[in-house]
Amino acid sequence: MENAEQTGEEQNVFPLNVASESIPSRNESARVEQLERLLAQSYTRFALIAKATRQAIWDWNLVTNQVWRNEGFATLFGYTSQDIGPDIEWWFAHIHPYDRARIRDSITAVIASKGHQWIERYRFFDKTGIYHFILDRGYIVYNEKGESYQMLGCMEDITKQKKAKDELLESQHKFKLLSETIPQLIWTATPDGLVDYVNCRWIEYTGLSMEQSKNYGWATAFHPDDLPTLQEHWQKTLYTTNPHQVEARIRNAEGIYRWFLIRAMPLKDSHGQVIEWFGTNTDIEEQKRLAEQLQTLTEQLSVANDTLQLTNDRLSRTNEELDQYVYKVSHDIRSPIASIVGLLSLLEQEELYGQARVYVDLIRNRIGRLDEFIRSVLTHSRSVNTAVTAKPIDFNQIIEQCLEEISYMPDMDKVEIYRQLPASRSFYGDELRISIVLKNLIANAIKYRREEVRCIISIRVCLQGREAVIEVEDNGQGIEEIYQQKVFTMFFRANEKAEGSGLGLYIVKQAVERMGGSITLKSHLKKGSLFTITLPNLQEDDNTQVSDKTDECNVE
């Protein structure tokens, strides 16, 4: 119950008695007439007020127990005049059962205590059965004997305010529950920046109590070097009302400082005015350390990259000089070799006896191997140092040139070569390197042939979209599976009986990769080998490129 003693001014809100001293009159009749006129004016004002307000105004005659209600009552609760009972019990009957006894007792108590004002909150249901939360105020009127005879009041529907208040309380409860659950240090502040709440995480971390942290007490936990910048930033944030974010060190209860990311967001009303600030302090000590380590590693990596770049530049110059030297030396050595071969040819024209013929053949064999090695070195040097160029490829012409260049090899008349080539010249590639690849693969097939069968080499070229797939297959000795991953390394020979240099397949792989292609090997011992090379079409002009949907694998 909320009772309050009515002041003298409140007692005359609805004046029913007028003091005789305030009405000057010549006789009793005039006095009565004036009283009636004043009374009529008073009731007229009351009626107009009761009609104009949206609130429910009631007038309870405590003598007859009859109640009068204004139109606002019907509007507020949906009752018609036929629905409303004339006495006070009808009103009591429509109060929520849990509130009814309390309201009856509170009215009885205020009247018994000669009180002038009665205020209560309770639930009252409308015609549809829905309960409304009501704030009800009543004023008790007494006669000259001090007896109460009238009570006037006003019922205000506060359902929306009650709901809003309950939602606010629930929201505050959820916020507090959330703030006490998450690991961040949570705080709130008034629009002018005074902290009015910190969560338990802040209290546990800093050792400062709620009261010690309020207003600007939180500042004692921040590092002295960071505090000026933090306060300057916070004042600027309060002025601009923009979100706040800054990094600073906060001291824990043991006196150890750790880095935190401080963020604040303003809660604004519909007019853009800040109602409250919500803030979080997130521990970023580990991120800071990792960032510093990353920065150190980045700087070290930058130095290492610079050093590596210098080393690479030196190696590139050294390799270039070495390639030039090898090329020059190899080229210069071929001149005396040619002279030796010429002398051997003259010597072979003479009549040789006994071991002399054997020695001459042995010298020619060794000179041939040396010449082949030098040719391989020169071929590798050309492949490494020559830029890749694109031109239309005539595969048949390249194969003919390769066969002509290796025509000196023994038993060429026992070699059968089959070709399956595209009819068009729509593929663009590097003619030099394609020639190096095919020449080495054909020469290898001849070197490692089986003596017991006729040597058969199949060369197939198929244009598939923007690629050329070249297959070179033989029926030679084959390569054991354990060696197939090593045959493309420098100076490796899977068959020690062969007299090759060990550079051929290494040069092939280097040339293929220089053209942006790839090479694979499938081989079976005593059955033969299949090399598959995939090369990209190097032509950039869309009008001359092979269609992505076109395959050319014609037999020529």
Side-chain angles (χ1 to χ4, degrees), residues 327-354:
Y327 180 81
K328 187 176 186 304
V329 170
S330 301
H331 189 272
D332 291 346
I333 291 177
R334 290 205 67 205
S335 296
I337 289 177
S339 299
I340 294 172
V341 171
L343 291 173
L344 285 174
S345 298
L346 292 175
L347 187 59
E348 286 173 341
Q349 294 177 10
E350 301 293 330
E351 190 172 349
L352 301 174
Y353 300 97

Side-chain angles (χ1 to χ4, degrees), residues 26 41 89 95 100 111-112 186 209 221 230 238 304 307 353 371 387-388 409 426 429 442 459 470 476 497 499 509:
R26 294 181 180 180
Q41 290 175 356
E89 292 302 322
I95 295 176
R100 192 176 300 151
I111 293 175
I186 306 297
S209 67
L230 177 64
L238 294 175
T307 304
Y353 300 97
D371 187 55
V388 176
M409 296 184 70
S426 56
I442 294 171
I459 304 172
I470 304 171
K497 295 180 180 179
E499 298 182 351
K509 189 172 188 296

Side-chain angles (χ1 to χ4, degrees), residues 252-528:
N252 63 18
E254 288 75 35
I256 300 173
Y257 286 95
R258 293 178 65 87
W259 281 100
F260 280 78
L261 175 64
I262 294 95
R263 286 195 177 110
M265 291 290 293
L267 175 63
K268 299 182 179 181
D269 60 19
S270 58
H271 302 291
Q273 299 298 314
V274 175
I275 301 173
E276 193 170 12
W277 287 93
F278 290 88
T280 61
N281 301 343
T282 305
D283 191 327
I284 58 169
E285 180 70 22
E286 295 303 320
Q287 294 93 314
K288 273 282 188 180
R289 291 181 181 178
L290 289 174
E292 290 173 359
Q293 293 174 4
L294 180 60
Q295 179 63 29
T296 302
L297 290 174
T298 301
E299 292 172 357
Q300 293 174 349
L301 182 60
S302 178
V303 173
N305 283 337
D306 292 341
T307 304
L308 182 60
Q309 184 61 46
L310 290 174
T311 304
N312 285 338
D313 292 342
R314 293 193 191 102
L315 287 175
S316 296
R317 289 194 297 270
T318 302
N319 286 336
E320 185 178 350
E321 293 170 358
L322 183 60
D323 286 338
Q324 292 174 356
Y325 175 75
V326 169
Y327 180 81
K328 187 176 186 304
V329 170
S330 301
H331 189 272
D332 291 346
I333 291 177
R334 290 205 67 205
S335 296
I337 289 177
S339 299
I340 294 172
V341 171
L343 291 173
L344 285 174
S345 298
L346 292 175
L347 187 59
E348 286 173 341
Q349 294 177 10
E350 301 293 330
E351 190 172 349
L352 301 174
Y353 300 97
Q355 288 295 110
R357 171 63 63 182
V358 176
Y359 293 149
V360 169
D361 290 342
L362 187 60
I363 292 172
R364 179 175 288 280
N365 178 268
R366 294 296 181 266
I367 289 295
R369 291 180 63 181
L370 178 59
D371 187 55
E372 180 187 351
F373 177 77
I374 294 172
R375 286 173 183 268
S376 297
V377 172
L378 290 172
T379 300
H380 175 60
S381 180
R382 289 167 59 199
S383 178
V384 169
N385 296 303
T386 306
V388 176
T389 58
K391 62 182 297 185
I393 299 300
D394 186 335
F395 288 99
N396 189 60
Q397 182 181 345
I398 291 177
I399 293 171
E400 288 296 331
Q401 290 175 353
C402 292
L403 293 175
E404 184 178 346
E405 291 177 12
I406 61 174
S407 60
Y408 64 88
M409 296 184 70
D411 299 326
M412 281 295 293
D413 57 329
K414 298 179 182 179
V415 177
E416 295 182 15
I417 296 181
Y418 295 94
R419 312 175 201 184
Q420 185 176 333
L421 308 174
S424 68
R425 296 177 60 186
S426 56
F427 181 79
Y428 283 69
D430 189 304
E431 187 176 65
L432 170 64
R433 289 179 174 81
I434 292 175
S435 177
I436 290 173
V437 170
L438 290 176
K439 179 182 175 181
N440 275 280
L441 292 179
I442 294 171
N444 266 11
I446 296 172
K447 285 179 189 177
Y448 300 106
R449 67 185 182 276
R450 286 185 289 158
E451 298 295 338
E452 67 272 16
V453 297
R454 189 171 183 81
C455 179
I456 299 175
I457 303 172
S458 298
I459 304 172
R460 297 181 291 273
V461 179
C462 187
L463 303 185
Q464 298 179 351
R466 299 172 63 84
E467 295 178 335
V469 179
I470 304 171
E471 294 181 341
V472 179
E473 187 174 15
D474 64 63
N475 63 341
Q477 299 174 14
I479 304 171
E480 292 186 63
E481 186 175 355
I482 59 174
Y483 298 131
Q484 290 181 19
Q485 298 298 322
K486 301 178 181 179
V487 294
F488 295 107
T489 58
M490 186 180 288
F491 303 124
F492 180 83
R493 290 182 294 173
N495 188 340
E496 293 298 330
K497 295 180 180 179
E499 298 182 351
S501 63
L503 285 173
L505 290 179
Y506 171 75
I507 293 173
V508 167
K509 189 172 188 296
Q510 294 295 314
V512 169
E513 291 180 348
R514 189 71 188 277
M515 292 184 286
S518 61
I519 182 170
T520 60
L521 166 64
K522 290 182 181 180
S523 185
H524 300 280
L525 202 60
K526 297 182 179 180
K527 290 185 179 181

Side-chain angles (χ1 to χ4, degrees), residues 203-246:
I203 296 172
E204 292 169 0
Y205 178 82
T206 63
L208 298 175
S209 67
M210 178 75 73
E211 291 304 318
Q212 290 174 326
S213 304
K214 284 184 176 181
N215 298 326
Y216 283 100
W218 53 267
T220 60
F222 282 80
H223 196 287
D225 294 344
D226 302 336
L227 195 56
T229 302
L230 177 64
Q231 289 176 326
E232 180 183 354
H233 199 281
W234 181 227
Q235 291 303 318
K236 182 179 179 181
T237 298
L238 294 175
Y239 177 75
T240 62
T241 70
N242 293 326
H244 167 73
Q245 178 171 311
V246 68

Side-chain angles (χ1 to χ4, degrees), residues 11 14-18 39 43 59-66 111 114 139-152:
Q11 293 177 13
F14 305 106
L16 300 179
N17 297 312
V18 181
L39 185 62
Y43 274 111
D59 183 355
W60 178 17
N61 190 320
L62 299 178
V63 178
T64 64
N65 220 26
Q66 299 295 299
I111 293 175
K114 300 297 182 179
Y139 297 87
I140 300 96
V141 182
Y142 297 88
N143 60 20
E144 291 134 347
K145 298 179 181 180
E147 299 171 341
S148 60
Y149 69 90
Q150 188 177 18
M151 187 171 182
L152 297 100

